């Protein structure tokens, strides 16, 4: 409760009346928790001074504060000159250190940072006074600890840390943009007539709202809402070299559950390696020699190609066995799910057609209806929806339909589908939505398959690094 008066006598009268009212409802003031601030104007010097005056609650005197004394009101620190400039970096810094020392997995640390530590700052940032430079400094401190926990190189795009998980990022809020947005939203929700109809209070609110709005301009766009901020970071991520392969990550949300939840599906090391795989931060020759073009970049296995993550995951002969195992892992997961739904499943049937031998991965029979599913894990940098459609067109031909009807004596409809992902574990939006709409896949299975593809790609990289085979046969 805050009482204001223009004179000492007026404030004492307010105190007495407040004391009388509280006594009527069975309450009383605690003098030890009360204080006064006497501010006196000096017109000639154009300043104010603090004047110590005596006020009483009953028979007890209330202490009078000095100019340097601080007090807290609604979670915000004040002095006689106004709000105290808050420094969120000083607030969150010790907490980040304690979180680093705590015996937690990296995914648990990330979850605590995203859902506990950063939201603790929102109230002070929305109502307090904070400079843009301080917000940038706090973001930089948070990114330092995120890189430390996840063992990320310094040149990982900043947008990867701040972009939402549904867009392929880590989902760590950027206080530089979130704080002004929260303040603008808080001020815009003030509808009290005694404030909006008062000229002084109304002008102050409009000035503060305009100041917050000015802070939300980025590249000729206003980031006035959380979705706008998320879209801003997602676009910056997709424009980066390492983040371009995540461009289609936003087409299906459930596949990112392992990134933003403290799941037990992954060990701490697997989570760190999975994040590094996701943003193309594994230590390949092309990755570690950026900016130094004079250094050797050819594949250490002797392939006639630069040693990139894409080459290791999709083309290099060293990792061929792990690529096959990665593919088969997805096939077995989908097959098990189909069998649980009561389908009869045939794995890799050989179909001798006019166009040659065709071997789709799965043929599922349910109520005289046939579903042909072929699985593919493709490179990034190309449209996965186009790859999905090409795979369907590859099998949806008259000679294959004729052979299926002859081979399995099918009288019902035959539909063709593909399960298309890239080596980062990102689904083709059209592929996964079609499989789920047809009842061939569940949302949970789509999440598990994404994790399995990520694990399989890590297996490809580990096998590539452990083996020592070398070949110069490029023919």
């Amino acid at each position: 409760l805050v009482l204001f008066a223009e004179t000492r006598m007026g404030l004492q009268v307010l105190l007495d009346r407040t004391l009388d009212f509280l006594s009527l409802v069975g309450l009383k003031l605690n003098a030890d928790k009360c204080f006064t601030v006497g501010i006196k104007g000096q017109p000639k010097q154009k300043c104010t001074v603090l004047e110590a005056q005596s006020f009483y609650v009953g028979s007890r005197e209330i202490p009078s504060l000095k100019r340097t004394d601080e007090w807290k009101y609604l979670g915000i620190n004040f002095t006689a000159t106004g709000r105290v400039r808050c420094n969120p970096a000083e607030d969150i810094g010790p907490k980040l250190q304690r979180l680093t020392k705590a015996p937690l997995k990296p995914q648990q640390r990330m979850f605590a940072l995203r859902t506990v530590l950063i939201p603790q700052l929102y109230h002070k940032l929305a109502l307090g006074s904070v400079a843009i430079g301080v917000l940038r400094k706090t973001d930089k401190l948070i990114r330092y600890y995120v890189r430390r926990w996840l063992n990320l190189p310094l040149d990982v795009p900043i947008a990867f840390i701040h972009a939402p998980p549904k867009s392929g990022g880590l989902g760590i809020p950027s206080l530089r943009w979130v704080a002004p947005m929260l303040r603008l939203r808080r001020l815009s929700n003030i509808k009290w007539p005694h404030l909006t109809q008062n000229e002084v209070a109304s002008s102050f609110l409009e000035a503060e709202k305009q100041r917050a709005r000015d802070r939300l301009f980025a590249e000729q766009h206003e980031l006035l809402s959380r979705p706008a901020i998320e879209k801003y970071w997602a676009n910056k991520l997709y424009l980066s070299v390492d983040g371009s392969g995540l461009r289609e990550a936003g087409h299906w949300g459930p596949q990112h559950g392992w990134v933003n939840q403290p799941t037990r599906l992954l060990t701490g090391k697997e989570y760190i390696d999975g994040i590094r795989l996701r943003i193309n931060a594994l230590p390949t020759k092309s990755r570690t020699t950026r900016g130094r073009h004079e250094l050797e970049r050819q594949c250490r296995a002797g392939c006639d190609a630069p040693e990139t993550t894409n080459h290791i995951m999709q083309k290099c002969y060293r990792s061929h066995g792990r690529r096959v195992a990665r593919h088969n892992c997805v096939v077995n997961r989908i097959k098990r799910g189909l069998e649980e739904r009561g389908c009869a499943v045939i794995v890799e049937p050989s179909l001798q057609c006019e166009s040659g031998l065709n071997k789709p991965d799965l043929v599922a029979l349910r109520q005289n209806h046939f579903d042909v599913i072929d699985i593919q894990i493709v490179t990034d940098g190309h449209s996965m929806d186009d790859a999905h459609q090409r795979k369907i067109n590859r099998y949806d031909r008259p000679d294959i339909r004729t052979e299926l009807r002859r081979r399995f004596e099918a009288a019902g409809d035959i539909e063709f589908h593909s399960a298309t992902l890239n080596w980062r574990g990102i689904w083709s939006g059209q592929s996964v939505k079609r499989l789920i709409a047809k009842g061939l896949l569940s949302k949970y299975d789509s999440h598990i398959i994404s994790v399995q593809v990520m694990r399989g790609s890590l297996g490809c990289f580990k096998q590539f690094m452990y083996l020592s085979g070398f070949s110069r046969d490029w023919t």
Side-chain angles (χ1 to χ4, degrees), residues 73 123 165 323 334 473:
Y73 180 68
H123 179 72
R323 284 199 297 275
I334 296 178
D473 184 10

Side-chain angles (χ1 to χ4, degrees), residues 13-299:
V13 170
L14 281 178
L15 277 171
D16 294 339
R17 290 183 178 179
T18 302
L19 196 63
D20 293 339
F21 172 77
L22 293 176
S23 63
L24 293 176
V25 295
L27 300 174
K28 61 179 181 179
L29 290 178
N30 186 351
D32 294 333
K33 294 185 178 181
C34 299
F35 58 85
T36 63
V37 180
I39 303 176
K40 185 178 180 180
Q42 299 291 325
K44 292 186 178 180
Q45 287 78 20
K46 296 183 180 179
C47 65
T48 59
V49 297
L50 260 63
E51 188 176 40
Q53 297 180 353
S54 299
F55 296 91
Y56 294 87
V57 172
S59 59
R60 296 190 59 184
E61 184 177 355
I62 303 176
S64 181
L65 298 186
K66 301 178 182 178
R67 180 175 289 273
T68 56
D69 292 335
E70 292 185 12
W71 70 88
K72 184 176 289 188
Y73 180 68
L74 297 179
I76 307 299
N77 291 332
F78 287 85
T79 65
T81 58
R83 289 176 300 173
V84 177
R85 288 262 183 184
C86 65
N87 191 341
E90 295 178 356
D91 189 358
I92 201 174
K95 298 176 183 178
L96 289 170
Q97 293 178 2
R98 290 199 298 271
L99 190 59
T100 302
K101 296 178 181 178
L104 299 173
K105 292 182 178 180
Q107 55 264 47
Q108 293 172 325
R109 290 194 180 97
M110 294 293 292
F111 183 77
L113 174 64
R114 190 184 302 110
T115 61
V116 179
L117 294 192
I118 293 180
Q120 284 179 349
L121 302 174
Y122 287 168
H123 179 72
K124 290 184 178 180
L125 296 177
L127 295 183
S129 177
V130 58
I132 289 293
V134 175
L135 294 175
R136 290 196 180 102
K137 180 180 177 181
T138 307
D139 282 338
K140 187 176 180 180
L141 177 65
I142 293 173
R143 289 195 295 267
Y144 164 77
Y145 278 96
V146 170
R147 288 191 176 100
R148 179 177 173 182
W149 296 340
L150 302 181
N151 195 22
L152 294 175
L154 294 177
D155 60 348
V156 163
I158 293 176
F160 176 65
I161 297 176
H162 295 306
K166 64 182 180 181
S167 299
L170 296 179
I172 303 301
S174 172
L175 297 181
R176 161 63 185 88
W177 300 106
V178 172
M181 183 270 296
L182 291 175
R183 182 165 178 78
L184 178 61
R185 188 172 65 183
R186 191 72 171 264
L187 295 174
S188 299
N189 288 335
I190 296 178
K191 307 296 184 182
W192 300 331
H194 67 282
L195 290 178
T196 56
Q197 296 176 8
N198 182 282
E199 183 178 352
V200 176
S202 178
S203 61
F204 171 78
L205 288 175
E206 290 301 323
E208 287 295 313
K209 286 192 286 186
Q210 185 60 44
R211 183 176 176 226
R213 190 176 289 107
D214 291 342
R215 291 183 170 189
L216 291 171
F217 271 99
E219 301 173 0
Q220 299 181 351
H221 297 284
E222 277 190 318
L223 310 182
L224 301 180
S225 62
R226 196 177 294 272
I229 296 174
E230 293 178 349
K231 184 178 179 181
Y232 166 76
W233 283 117
N235 290 336
K236 290 183 72 69
L237 174 62
Y238 302 151
L239 291 174
S240 64
V241 173
D242 294 328
S244 60
L246 298 169
R247 189 176 299 275
E248 298 183 59
H251 294 170
W252 185 245
Q255 63 187 329
H256 308 295
W258 67 272
V259 177
N260 60 346
Q261 297 294 331
T263 175
R264 292 186 294 176
L265 284 172
L266 304 171
T267 65
K269 187 177 188 308
E270 285 178 332
Y271 181 81
I272 291 174
D273 290 341
I275 294 297
R276 297 175 73 191
L277 171 77
R278 194 177 179 87
I279 194 57
N280 191 31
L282 295 176
T284 62
K285 282 187 177 181
S286 293
R287 188 68 172 77
T288 56
T289 59
R290 283 184 178 176
R292 297 175 290 172
H293 302 289
E294 70 279 2
L295 298 180
E296 175 63 33
R297 292 189 175 191
Q298 290 298 105
C299 176

Side-chain angles (χ1 to χ4, degrees), residues 390-438:
R390 285 195 299 270
K391 178 63 72 173
I392 291 178
N393 296 338
R394 160 75 175 77
Y395 285 98
D396 190 2
R397 299 203 303 266
D399 58 335
I400 296 180
R401 286 180 177 271
T402 302
E403 178 63 19
L404 283 170
R405 294 187 185 280
R406 185 197 66 79
R407 175 81 174 272
F408 300 107
E409 298 180 355
D413 294 334
I414 299 177
E415 290 191 74
F416 295 88
H417 315 274
S418 86
T420 303
L421 303 92
N422 66 15
W423 53 262
R424 304 188 195 219
I426 304 300
W427 276 93
S428 160
Q430 292 182 6
S431 171
V432 66
K433 291 176 183 177
R434 177 169 177 169
L435 290 173
I436 291 176
K438 297 295 182 179

